[in-house]
Structure formats: C-alpha cells, structure tokens
Amino acid sequence: MLGWHDLRVPAPRLEITYCTQCRWLLRAGWTAQELLTTFPADLGEVALVPGTGGVFTVRLDDEMLWDRREQGGFPELPVLKQLVRDRVAPDRDLGHSDRKS
C-alpha cells in the first residue's frame, strides 16, 4: 500500500510565497486560481507558501518568475501568465491576456 510520502508530484511546481503579516493570502490564492484555470494540464502543482516580511514571490521549479521587492510591486496577471506560458506551453495563445504583436 502506498502512503502519502510515496506519491510523486508531477513537474512543474509553481510556488507562490506570500506574507502572512500583510494578509496577502487572498491575493496569492486568487493568483493560484487564475494560473490553474489557464494552465490546467501544464502545471503539476501550485503551492501557497506562507512567509513574512512583505514577501510575494512566484517561482516555477527553481526559477524565480516574480519577486515583489525586485520588480517593485505585484505582477499584473497577464504578465504573469505570459511568464508561465513561455516556460510550460510556449506555443499556447493566451487570447486577450497575450502580449500584442
């Protein structure tokens, strides 16, 4: 019989770390929901990771896609979807969220 520790999470793993002190759980959850809706078969896991000190980062496997401190704010959802798409499904058209040619 397999236990929970025997289960393997398919790649890629998207991780959103959010500040609990700033109460950014709803923002992190909404972001996760939007990415799971857009990439239902392309993401193996989306994890919400509590943090402190004003952190809000989005990481895909070992690659940092967004850091609130470095980029100076929160990601616009179309921009974040493009960053994720470029790595997990580069041929996918994001429709109205896609960058203009």
Side-chain angles (χ1 to χ4, degrees):
M1 178 175 229
L2 292 177
W4 68 269
H5 58 278
D6 296 315
L7 300 176
R8 301 288 181 243
V9 174
R13 180 178 196 264
L14 188 123
E15 182 178 288
I16 301 170
T17 303
Y18 65 94
C19 180
T20 58
Q21 297 167 315
C22 303
R23 301 186 180 272
W24 288 338
L25 173 59
L26 287 177
R27 179 184 294 268
W30 172 73
T31 302
Q33 176 183 329
E34 288 291 324
L35 292 173
L36 283 168
T37 299
T38 302
F39 304 102
D42 301 305
L43 296 172
E45 175 185 15
V46 174
L48 299 180
V49 181
T52 58
V55 65
F56 193 92
T57 61
V58 180
R59 178 181 299 275
L60 185 64
D61 290 332
D62 293 328
E63 181 182 1
M64 182 68 69
L65 297 183
W66 193 271
D67 184 331
R68 187 187 70 81
R69 288 186 186 126
E70 288 181 16
Q71 273 83 14
F74 294 100
E76 293 291 329
L77 201 52
V79 171
L80 188 56
K81 286 181 179 184
Q82 290 167 7
L83 291 170
V84 172
R85 183 272 318 271
D86 290 349
R87 286 148 183 89
V88 301
D91 295 330
R92 170 152 323 135
D93 180 14
L94 295 175
H96 68 278
S97 291
D98 225 341
R99 61 176 71 99
K100 304 292 182 226
S101 301

